[in-house]
Amino acid sequence: MMEEKCLGCDLDETLTELKFGRYQLTNLILMGLLVMYSNLYPLSFTLTAGDLEYRCLIPECENETSSMREYMPRWLRNAVPFKDDQPWKCKRYSSKSSGSSFINDTECPIAFDKTETVECNKWIFATEEITIVNDFDVLCENKKWMLSLIGTINNLGQFFGIPLFGIISDRYGRKLVALFCTIMSAIFGICRGFSTSYLFFAIFEFLDSFFGSAIYGSAFILGIELVNPKMRSLAATIIGVFYPLGAIIMGFLAWYFQNWRKLLIACYSPGLLFVLYFWIIPESIRWLQMNGYYSEVSNIIKKISDSNNIKLSEKSCEQQKEVIKAKNDYNNKKNVGFWVPMLKVFKSKYLTLRLLNCSFSWFTNTLVYYGLSINSVELVGNKFVNFILTNVVEIPAFIISGFILNKIKRRVSQSAAFFFSGIACIMCEFIPTQMFVLQIVVYLVSKFLITISFNIIYIYSAEMFPTELRLSLCGFASMCGRIGSMIAPQTILLRDVVGKSAPVLLFGVMSIIAGGLATSFPETLDKKLPDTINQAKMEDK
């Protein structure tokens, strides 16, 4: 037991003595760039497979080849049925006259039978934007499920990728997984931009998200495992601030190009440059120590001390030697595989309940976080501006969450962020539609708070699970979260079936429930990371 307790016990003390300096900051920025890139795959479908505004072309009233056609001419309500002040996309009224009587684009003397509607096969689009809707003819209400399916396919890739790469990362290293998956994500993202059909687009969407799902978790843990306990929240904030920048840049590029192919190629091509990271960034120092790569640990510690101009005390050097000896002895006695410690987790009532509760928090976070992002393009106003704003509010959210994590207990901050995000969601639906500016502001407040919650759960999950299974258990919880993000794209259909208020009310109720359950988590503020299962179990005692 003494040997197990000693494993990694002095690494936090060594990192504390080395302080937070240029070496850690440089690596956190490099991890931040990885994290920024990783925000492409979970949200790109919102813009590439987003629905467009269009209506039937009325050949009796407008010239098919004219470039001066109006999207909403004065005569349109006589020719097309309307719903919620918008023209139906694929139905029009039947014409009472035979043949075409086109005069000009501003007048339409033709009479229409408003008791009979017919399907149309030609359309007028409100803008020049090109998505897979008009590129692959994914048109009309009966095909809208094909658009939301892309979002589900995206999250299905994450559902399978996160736990698999979590296990691989714990076995073969965080750095290898993060960089390999980044390169593969870039390749399939570019391939998606050259898709020739809806089927190929869907396949590359899955492969992109499958590999891309490993980037954030690996990069995040690579960053926070390199700093001492008191600097974890700052490290999480530095990395987290980069995350929304990826979506913001993507939003501006989508606004500029108005073409989904150009957007994907422009966003994913820089990802190939991350191959250089193989020679730049270090492997996780904790993973190296837990797996017996002691010379690499010593090299990294030396680089940190040289870069930060700090000389380790004799005591720290001796402690590192003792840890190495204890680790060798422990490995000789406890040479077990992956599934033995995993079974220990499920034999513990405390760790099992913790894992289930953490998984529900992940489920709610992803459902609300991505649900608010996806539904933002359905709000009143310019969809690109709305998309950008819902991501801009994440920047102050990450910064403020850093201060919260330093000053307020994890358990309190996690619960409060959930609860007040839920309240804001529910409030949003009780604001009159004519006060749409206030409605958008409250909507952004909810996104702001759920982002704080998401930032907290990332570092909270890493702190409450042991090093030997940290990424595997975080991966399991995150995998459950993917169920929430798989459901999130379908909430757009929920608007059509139940009502436009249904998605946001669902987000509000789920957030409030998760906030209540979060009060049962163990407190981890300023505590050492548990390296073994027994150490993690002690947190509940």
Side-chain angles (χ1 to χ4, degrees):
M1 179 60 106
M2 289 297 294
E3 288 168 347
E4 183 177 336
K5 185 180 178 182
C6 188
L7 292 182
C9 61
D10 300 302
L11 187 55
D12 281 333
E13 294 178 17
T14 301
L15 291 173
T16 300
E17 188 176 335
L18 289 169
K19 298 183 179 179
F20 183 89
R22 184 174 60 185
Y23 187 89
Q24 290 94 332
L25 180 60
T26 300
N27 276 278
L28 287 174
I29 291 173
L30 292 173
M31 292 305 102
L33 293 174
L34 262 181
V35 164
M36 182 177 74
Y37 173 83
S38 76
N39 202 14
L40 298 180
Y41 77 87
L43 289 176
S44 61
F45 73 87
T46 306
L47 300 170
T48 59
D51 204 2
L52 299 173
E53 290 185 46
Y54 56 93
R55 62 167 176 85
C56 293
L57 182 140
I58 313 298
E60 297 93 339
C61 304
E62 52 194 343
N63 191 341
E64 182 179 348
T65 59
S66 173
S67 61
M68 302 297 292
R69 292 189 304 266
E70 288 184 60
Y71 180 68
M72 295 281 278
R74 289 175 296 178
W75 50 261
L76 189 61
R77 289 182 183 273
N78 294 323
V80 177
F82 273 60
K83 180 182 179 182
D84 295 331
D85 210 35
Q86 291 295 320
W88 284 18
K89 293 185 173 180
C90 295
K91 287 187 179 181
R92 47 162 291 184
Y93 293 129
S94 176
S95 173
K96 289 183 178 180
S97 64
S98 58
S100 174
S101 302
F102 170 74
I103 299 176
N104 58 58
D105 287 335
T106 60
E107 298 179 17
C108 187
I110 301 301
F112 293 91
D113 183 1
K114 293 189 176 182
T115 63
E116 181 183 1
T117 59
V118 294
E119 300 285 338
C120 56
N121 54 15
K122 292 182 180 178
W123 294 269
I124 301 292
F125 289 86
T127 67
E128 297 297 319
E129 183 185 0
I130 300 174
T131 70
I132 67 169
V133 170
N134 44 6
D135 215 352
F136 296 148
D137 292 328
V138 189
L139 299 160
C140 299
E141 285 80 357
N142 62 340
K143 290 184 179 179
K144 196 169 182 179
W145 64 270
M146 296 176 68
L147 300 179
S148 59
L149 180 63
I150 294 297
T152 300
I153 288 172
N154 176 289
N155 287 283
L156 196 62
Q158 298 177 54
F159 182 82
F160 288 108
I162 286 173
L164 175 62
F165 288 114
I167 294 170
I168 294 174
S169 178
D170 281 334
R171 293 288 297 274
Y172 299 105
R174 288 47 162 141
K175 175 181 172 180
L176 174 65
V177 167
L179 300 185
F180 171 74
C181 289
T182 300
I183 303 305
M184 296 304 294
S185 172
I187 290 171
F188 289 118
I190 294 169
C191 288
R192 196 159 86 253
F194 290 98
S195 300
T196 55
S197 68
Y198 175 87
L199 177 61
F200 280 113
F201 182 90
I203 291 172
F204 290 132
E205 183 79 47
F206 176 86
L207 292 172
D208 174 18
S209 64
F210 175 75
F211 287 101
S213 64
I215 303 172
Y216 189 109
S218 299
F220 184 85
I221 290 180
L222 272 170
I224 68 166
E225 287 189 339
L226 197 62
V227 301
N228 64 64
K230 289 190 175 181
M231 303 304 293
R232 284 184 215 140
S233 57
L234 175 62
T237 301
I238 292 172
I239 294 174
V241 164
F242 281 88
Y243 189 69
L245 291 177
I248 292 168
I249 292 170
M250 183 170 62
F252 278 111
L253 288 174
W255 197 359
Y256 175 77
F257 287 119
Q258 304 268 318
N259 184 306
W260 69 275
R261 294 183 186 275
K262 293 179 181 178
L263 171 65
L264 289 177
I265 293 169
C267 286
Y268 279 91
S269 295
L272 298 174
L273 297 176
F274 284 109
V275 70
L276 299 175
Y277 271 32
F278 277 106
W279 295 277
I280 298 174
I281 65 172
E283 178 56 90
S284 161
I285 193 170
R286 288 185 178 276
W287 182 88
L288 290 170
Q289 187 183 69
M290 289 298 296
N291 288 274
Y293 297 100
Y294 307 115
S295 60
E296 286 87 345
V297 172
S298 297
N299 289 337
I300 294 173
I301 289 175
K302 186 176 186 307
K303 287 179 182 178
I304 297 173
S305 63
D306 291 344
S307 178
N308 296 351
N309 293 318
I310 292 173
K311 186 177 180 180
L312 278 178
S313 64
E314 261 186 61
K315 179 184 175 183
S316 291
C317 294
E318 289 300 319
Q319 285 176 338
Q320 285 301 313
K321 292 177 183 177
E322 290 175 12
V323 169
I324 292 173
K325 182 179 182 301
K327 173 68 180 178
N328 284 328
D329 294 340
Y330 181 72
N331 281 342
N332 292 333
K333 295 176 183 179
K334 299 284 185 180
N335 186 20
V336 296
F338 165 77
W339 291 108
V340 173
M342 276 296 286
L343 289 174
K344 286 184 181 178
V345 170
F346 292 107
K347 286 180 180 178
S348 166
K349 178 182 70 175
Y350 298 111
L351 288 182
T352 301
L353 290 175
R354 187 189 303 179
L355 181 60
L356 292 176
N357 194 359
C358 186
S359 299
F360 183 77
S361 288
W362 273 90
F363 170 84
T364 303
N365 261 308
T366 55
L367 173 66
V368 179
Y369 176 87
Y370 289 112
L372 291 175
S373 294
I374 293 166
N375 281 270
S376 67
V377 297
E378 301 287 330
L379 295 174
V380 177
N382 185 305
K383 75 174 187 178
F384 298 110
V385 172
N386 293 337
F387 179 83
I388 291 168
L389 285 176
T390 56
N391 288 283
V392 166
V393 297
E394 294 185 33
I395 296 177
F398 274 107
I399 294 172
I400 291 173
S401 65
F403 290 102
I404 290 173
L405 287 166
N406 273 329
K407 302 294 183 182
I408 304 174
K409 291 183 177 180
R410 305 278 195 260
R411 186 162 43 203
V412 174
S413 54
Q414 180 75 75
S415 180
F418 266 134
F419 182 78
F420 289 110
S421 176
I423 293 296
C425 275
I426 295 172
M427 284 178 57
C428 188
E429 288 309 311
F430 288 96
I431 298 173
T433 53
Q434 59 266 31
M435 301 174 68
F436 67 91
V437 174
L438 178 61
Q439 194 175 55
I440 291 175
V441 169
V442 175
Y443 191 93
L444 294 176
V445 167
S446 181
K447 180 64 184 297
F448 170 84
L449 291 167
I450 200 65
T451 302
I452 290 178
S453 173
F454 220 155
N455 191 30
I456 294 169
I457 197 63
Y458 258 107
I459 191 168
Y460 209 173
S461 299
E463 288 178 338
M464 70 175 76
F465 295 124
T467 300
E468 58 184 315
L469 290 171
R470 180 165 297 129
L471 211 54
S472 298
L473 295 179
C474 287
F476 179 87
S478 183
M479 178 188 69
C480 294
R482 292 311 110 188
I483 299 174
S485 54
M486 278 190 279
I487 295 172
Q490 305 303 325
T491 57
I492 293 180
L493 297 180
L494 192 64
R495 293 169 62 96
D496 299 331
V497 176
V498 180
K500 64 178 184 179
S501 300
V504 179
L505 291 176
L506 173 65
F507 302 153
V509 172
M510 291 295 292
S511 293
I512 292 172
I513 294 172
L517 292 174
T519 58
S520 65
F521 282 136
E523 185 51 58
T524 60
L525 180 63
D526 290 337
K527 293 185 178 180
K528 291 184 178 181
L529 292 177
D531 284 304
T532 66
I533 291 173
N534 284 340
Q535 290 173 9
K537 285 164 65 176
M538 290 299 295
E539 292 179 349
D540 284 299
K541 303 259 179 167

